[in-house]
Amino acid sequence: MKLLIILLTLLHINTLCFGQETKRVKTGNDIFLEEFTVLKSDKKIRHGEYKEFQFGKIRQEGLYNHGKKIGIWKFYHNGLLIQSYNYDKNQIENEPINPFYLVYNQVDFIESTIDSPPTYIGGKVGLENSIRKIIRYPVQARNKVLEGEVVFSLVVDENANVSEIEILSGPMEFHEEVKNTLTNMEALWLVGRNNKEKIKCKLLYVIEFKLNICGGMGCSLISIK
């Protein structure tokens, strides 16, 4: 009888947290779609399950508790799981596959295999989401109907601080916007380690700017490669 009472109590608490107090929301389009729940008492606060899709494929999923991410969040690329991050423990549950990175050896950056590279929470998906929050398609490039890829590098040091942001290639019209975005975006990096020691690494990424993806000049896609 006591066990039954406990189970009913837990079920009641769970219902209050993720059932009666919440409302399901779906927002976006065929390119980017979000599905989540919010508190009925304050629809600005996410509470419960969250999922994000790109072109119909899952990109990330997890749980919110009164606007705070909790538990294990999963991040995907082309439908394949690339990272699981535990927000309760503040740690990655699975390691990246690629072992080759540019590591600082007190003189220069050399290519080396390491145990755990610096990683953005959410992997490429998390980085792309943080960039997309503040980056804008440059007016000069849009007026020229200009598309292109911008290659850049940044350094994540032993304290997970970002520095030495450098634009390596790509149309000049995009350079300033990319550098300003990387400078002002949310820093959610996890420090790299090798043999249990913290390391300083240089990472390379590509931002792709594309126009007309949904039939109009007002439509654009900015993504990370």
Side-chain angles (χ1 to χ4, degrees), residues 145-164:
V145 197
L146 180 64
E147 299 179 328
E149 295 184 345
V150 177
V151 180
F152 68 91
S153 66
L154 54 81
V155 172
V156 181
D157 66 18
E158 298 88 344
N159 298 310
N161 295 319
V162 176
S163 63
E164 301 180 43

Side-chain angles (χ1 to χ4, degrees), residues 69-73 75 85-91 121-122:
K69 292 179 179 180
I70 62 170
I72 296 177
W73 277 62
F75 302 89
Y85 184 78
N86 192 323
Y87 277 91
D88 296 336
K89 298 180 180 178
N90 294 320
Q91 68 181 31
I121 295 177

Side-chain angles (χ1 to χ4, degrees), residues 48-51 60-64 70 72-74:
E49 293 184 350
Y50 174 90
K51 291 185 178 181
Q60 61 172 317
E61 60 181 343
L63 287 175
Y64 277 99
I70 62 170
I72 296 177
W73 277 62
K74 295 181 179 181

